[in-house]
Amino acid sequence: MKKISVYGARYCDIVLYLARTLQNLNYRVLICDRSISKQMRSFIPVFEEFDLSRQVFDYGGFGYTYANAGFNGKLEEYYPAMVAEAAGETPGMSRSRESAFERMIKAAGDDEDEESFNFLIVLNDASAALADFWNENEEESSVRLFITDEYPENIYEMRSVLRAINRNSGEGCMKLAGNKMLVVRDYTGTARIIIEELTKLAGASKSFLIPWSRKDRRLEMMAAYNDGFRFIGASDRLLALIEELCASAGIDTGSFEYRRAYINAGKGKRI
């Protein structure tokens, strides 16, 4: 199982598009939200009655939870949440038959040698990184994505994240395994000097400076306001980031299967 660690702010739409692309490639994906702010809750309409500290919420075929998962992709004790999949049904309603997500989890659990999830996407923010329970000494992440924009509060939050990681990991981000990328959304160059500092703190091998785009901003907002998400018309730079994330996770992005999964994810479709 591969782990993708995400840090910072304004990552939710990118994570959703990445998760859908991976799911369309027949990978089992779990999003584990370790952040304090829980930004993703604005994008995934989880009902209050679900205990996400123990349950996994099925959001269109991939899982979302607060519970911590080990590197083997399995949670200690949890119950897959019942989520309606048919058109016209309300997400979160219990039904007599099992959801496809529950059947998937049980099928994976039947074989002890088979992992429950292929990809674990872990969400973090500065508040979590500064908390006593947070520990980033783990070295198993395949990809580490640091994402911010040029708004002062988000810039300073990212700097807090990186400084916390550097304190906790002893030798800083350079010690941590995985491909490290720094992303700055709505880039204008105003905060160029501090962004250069962040790039060094992150030990990033690549930086994605994504200029402000009306379409990107609109798609980000639509993903939050709608129970679903589409990325048709996203900027080339944002789409290149998704492809780079997949490539860094070991996926052949030149294959027909990837292009089909990627295009359908952009249309909001599941294969």
Side-chain angles (χ1 to χ4, degrees), residues 13 43 185 213-226 228-235 238-239 266:
D13 58 325
F43 290 73
R185 303 187 75 163
S213 163
R214 183 184 297 275
K215 290 183 177 179
D216 285 354
R217 187 68 178 121
R218 182 176 183 275
L219 289 170
E220 181 184 6
M221 294 181 69
M222 291 291 288
Y225 281 102
N226 293 337
F229 47 93
R230 295 162 60 89
F231 287 83
I232 294 177
S235 67
L238 180 58
L239 296 179

Side-chain angles (χ1 to χ4, degrees), residues 23-64:
Q23 187 229 349
N24 281 351
L25 288 166
N26 294 319
Y27 293 114
R28 296 183 295 273
V29 181
L30 175 65
I31 298 174
C32 182
D33 197 341
R34 296 177 63 194
S35 71
I36 301 297
S37 61
K38 298 290 186 289
Q39 300 174 38
M40 190 61 80
R41 280 298 297 268
S42 297
F43 290 73
I44 297 180
V46 182
F47 292 93
E48 293 298 330
E49 56 264 29
F50 287 104
D51 180 7
L52 292 182
S53 63
R54 301 188 66 202
Q55 291 178 307
V56 174
F57 189 83
D58 171 14
Y59 187 54
F62 56 83
Y64 175 65

Side-chain angles (χ1 to χ4, degrees), residues 3-7 136-146 165 173 176-182 245:
K3 178 180 174 183
I4 299 173
S5 295
V6 183
Y7 313 82
E136 194 56 26
N137 289 324
E138 3 175 306
E139 300 182 2
E140 69 270 14
S141 291
S142 301
V143 183
R144 296 181 189 275
L145 177 66
F146 303 95
I165 292 174
C173 293
L176 301 177
N179 294 315
K180 293 176 279 292
M181 288 180 276
L182 176 69
L245 287 171

Side-chain angles (χ1 to χ4, degrees), residues 216-269:
D216 285 354
R217 187 68 178 121
R218 182 176 183 275
L219 289 170
E220 181 184 6
M221 294 181 69
M222 291 291 288
Y225 281 102
N226 293 337
D227 185 14
F229 47 93
R230 295 162 60 89
F231 287 83
I232 294 177
S235 67
D236 292 342
R237 194 62 177 159
L238 180 58
L239 296 179
L241 170 62
I242 301 297
E243 186 166 347
E244 183 64 31
L245 287 171
C246 290
S248 298
I251 293 171
D252 179 9
T253 57
S255 66
F256 168 77
E257 290 77 12
Y258 171 77
R259 300 310 300 179
R260 183 180 64 164
Y262 172 82
I263 291 171
N264 279 281
K267 295 177 180 178
K269 294 181 179 180

Side-chain angles (χ1 to χ4, degrees), residues 196-207:
E196 290 175 357
E197 177 191 351
L198 296 180
T199 303
K200 293 178 182 178
L201 283 172
S205 57
K206 291 188 178 180
S207 296

Side-chain angles (χ1 to χ4, degrees), residues 26-236:
N26 294 319
Y27 293 114
R28 296 183 295 273
V29 181
L30 175 65
I31 298 174
C32 182
D33 197 341
R34 296 177 63 194
S35 71
I36 301 297
S37 61
K38 298 290 186 289
Q39 300 174 38
M40 190 61 80
R41 280 298 297 268
S42 297
F43 290 73
I44 297 180
V46 182
F47 292 93
E48 293 298 330
E49 56 264 29
F50 287 104
D51 180 7
L52 292 182
S53 63
R54 301 188 66 202
Q55 291 178 307
V56 174
F57 189 83
D58 171 14
Y59 187 54
F62 56 83
Y64 175 65
T65 187
Y66 302 162
N68 198 16
F71 183 56
N72 64 357
K74 297 179 181 179
L75 300 172
E76 291 287 326
E77 292 183 5
Y78 71 96
Y79 304 95
M82 297 285 285
V83 178
E85 295 174 335
E89 292 185 308
T90 303
M93 288 180 61
S94 296
R95 298 174 297 163
S96 59
R97 63 183 180 87
E98 293 177 325
S99 70
F101 189 75
E102 287 186 293
R103 293 195 299 272
M104 175 192 77
I105 297 298
K106 288 185 177 180
D110 289 341
D111 185 353
E112 294 182 357
D113 295 327
E114 185 177 1
E115 295 170 347
S116 294
F117 300 96
N118 305 115
F119 278 92
L120 177 64
I121 303 177
V122 181
L123 310 181
N124 302 275
D125 58 14
S127 298
L130 295 170
D132 292 338
F133 68 82
W134 196 82
N135 186 351
E136 194 56 26
N137 289 324
E138 3 175 306
E139 300 182 2
E140 69 270 14
S141 291
S142 301
V143 183
R144 296 181 189 275
L145 177 66
F146 303 95
I147 182 165
T148 184
D149 54 25
E150 289 184 301
Y151 287 99
E153 60 269 27
N154 292 333
I155 283 282
Y156 295 135
E157 174 168 331
M158 176 54 66
R159 186 159 63 182
S160 297
V161 168
L162 294 172
R163 287 178 174 175
I165 292 174
N166 289 338
R167 285 195 301 270
N168 291 341
S169 59
E171 298 177 19
C173 293
M174 297 301 294
K175 176 184 176 182
L176 301 177
N179 294 315
K180 293 176 279 292
M181 288 180 276
L182 176 69
V183 176
V184 182
R185 303 187 75 163
D186 299 345
Y187 180 70
T188 66
T190 304
R192 180 179 56 82
I193 294 177
I194 192 171
I195 288 171
E196 290 175 357
E197 177 191 351
L198 296 180
T199 303
K200 293 178 182 178
L201 283 172
S205 57
K206 291 188 178 180
S207 296
F208 278 81
L209 305 178
I210 303 177
W212 186 87
S213 163
R214 183 184 297 275
K215 290 183 177 179
D216 285 354
R217 187 68 178 121
R218 182 176 183 275
L219 289 170
E220 181 184 6
M221 294 181 69
M222 291 291 288
Y225 281 102
N226 293 337
D227 185 14
F229 47 93
R230 295 162 60 89
F231 287 83
I232 294 177
S235 67
D236 292 342

